Amino acid sequence: MSTSETPASSSSKLGDRISSIKDRVLGGSKHSEQSGDNVTTDSSPAPAKDGEAGISDTKGADQQNPLYDQDINGSSKAPAPEPETQQTDSTAANGTSNTPGASVPAPTEEKPTSVENDPASQPTPNGNSDTAGQAAAKATSEDTTSTNDQTKLPEHTVTNGKEASATTSAINGATTETSNGEFHLSEDASRLKFAYWVPNVSGGLVISKIPQRTNWDLPSNIKYARTAEKVGFEYALSQIRFMAGYGAENQHEPVSFSQALLHSTEKIKLIAALLPGPWNPAVAAKQIASIDNYTNGRVAVNVVSGWFKLEFTSIGQWWLDHAERYRRSREFISCLKGIWSIQTQDNFTFKGDFYQFHDYTLKPKPLSWEGRPYPEIFQGGNSGDARDNAATVSDYYFMNGNTLEGFQTQIADVKERAKKAGREGQVKFALNGFVISRPTEQEAVRVLQEIQGKADKDAVEAFREQVQNAGASTSNKTGMWANSKFEDLVQYNDGFKTKLIGTPAQIADRILLLKSLGVDILLTAFLHYDEEIEAFGRDVIPLIRKAEKDGRGVDSEDEIRRTGDVYRARNQPEGEAATKV
């Protein structure tokens, strides 16, 4: 299929396309979806049986989708889908649904209860059933935020980083929706936290020519951040780029952009990306400490070791071998922690191969309180070098999408390395995932097909060459993206592999599984930021909060029994799916 075709261009190819998507994205499992040839536009959940409101006791509740039983075998064809691109900005503004393909299998039987079909878990905004498009219409009716419209920050009572903020508990809380449509804070310390990628670079979060209702300007991003903190997101991650490439022709600098968003919000934390080489730890430590004081302790950092060679050489920076880049990042993080630490106070000294400090003193320090001695430090990568950095110096370890076995192995390995480094229990885990939430799984899969079918092939191949050369340069050939296929790389950080593609309830069940494996923060990205951040907070996060309250997301064996087949590794020849996108 050429990149100019949409999924609607040939209904005869739908079965083949969904078949290729089945194993690659949804793991070959059959997800709960009502069967039947009749269609309806009613996307409300099927009623649960009496006494079943809550957690499913049925094995593999995410394995019963006649969409695959019928369409893949060709015995029943789905109606031709409407492509995602037919939904325009004006359509969304008029309040219609933004989801492609209005065809929804009619309910024919009751389901065993899970998050997916528990009516008590299904969220409605302010008691109604707004679609994502209607939510966008409401958003566009509000006054546009200008770059000078900054909300007043709460005053803090921190002195020299020794006293916690008076609003710390509010900042660290997680919002959940009440019956009247307002939000309150959850004090559950074990809750899964939600983050989103800040689109501070152009081109959106996929390397695709599909239209995206996602903007990279500051006013749009202020709106996204305010919406996100309202509906339950606790973090946002800004991106680092020093030059154009791979669909990102324009890039705002992440530290200053993060600061602008922090001054326009009240609760959300911004994770600002830093790239050792262009950044010196002395400058970074000073910048972040000041911003931390300005914003009541709401800034964190993500230290990126780098994968784009031209980005370094074009600005006169040495392009180091893979292991050396990560060794430099380790020194960089060690310097940040030493400079920021209230224990060192004055006269920080460090003698490394990349950085040296001699009796250096930073004042003021960042804010500090119990459990947060300095701004949180995130760092990612898949190689042994990256895992060593996580184990020895980082607070959070970012992971790309993976299989069930891959997640289990990766998390266990980093934990074991941290134990050997004397930091047992001190490293937490964050995971990247691209979210496509639609009323039916069929619609969500069609959106994925269109994203991948309209991939910018030249840009994806160029990106693939850069990142896989970087990954293959590791000693064990397991660097980040080393095993990613073309279709995976359409989303920068293997976000499709996390398989958050389906109905809100299916996505919630999968997120609970990921939490049970050890994930502490879920980093999300969306096709249409204009409405999908709000939709995720309205339709998915409340399901997670209710399930957590009911004890879900803790027992990994139970969660694997329910949903694990979605993530199990499947053997698929390289290029098989890529030839169909």
Side-chain angles (χ1 to χ4, degrees), residues 27-92:
S29 64
K30 301 174 182 177
H31 306 267
S32 346
E33 190 85 53
Q34 296 296 335
S35 63
D37 295 329
N38 297 327
V39 296
T40 176
T41 58
D42 181 10
S43 60
S44 59
K49 297 178 181 179
D50 292 340
E52 286 188 341
I55 304 170
S56 171
D57 293 325
T58 304
K59 182 176 186 290
D62 206 5
Q63 302 176 21
Q64 303 174 0
N65 189 353
L67 168 65
Y68 298 123
D69 293 336
Q70 296 179 7
D71 293 341
I72 286 176
N73 296 328
S75 60
S76 175
K77 293 184 179 292
E82 298 178 14
E84 184 80 352
T85 53
Q86 291 183 0
Q87 301 298 332
T88 65
D89 291 328
S90 59
T91 302

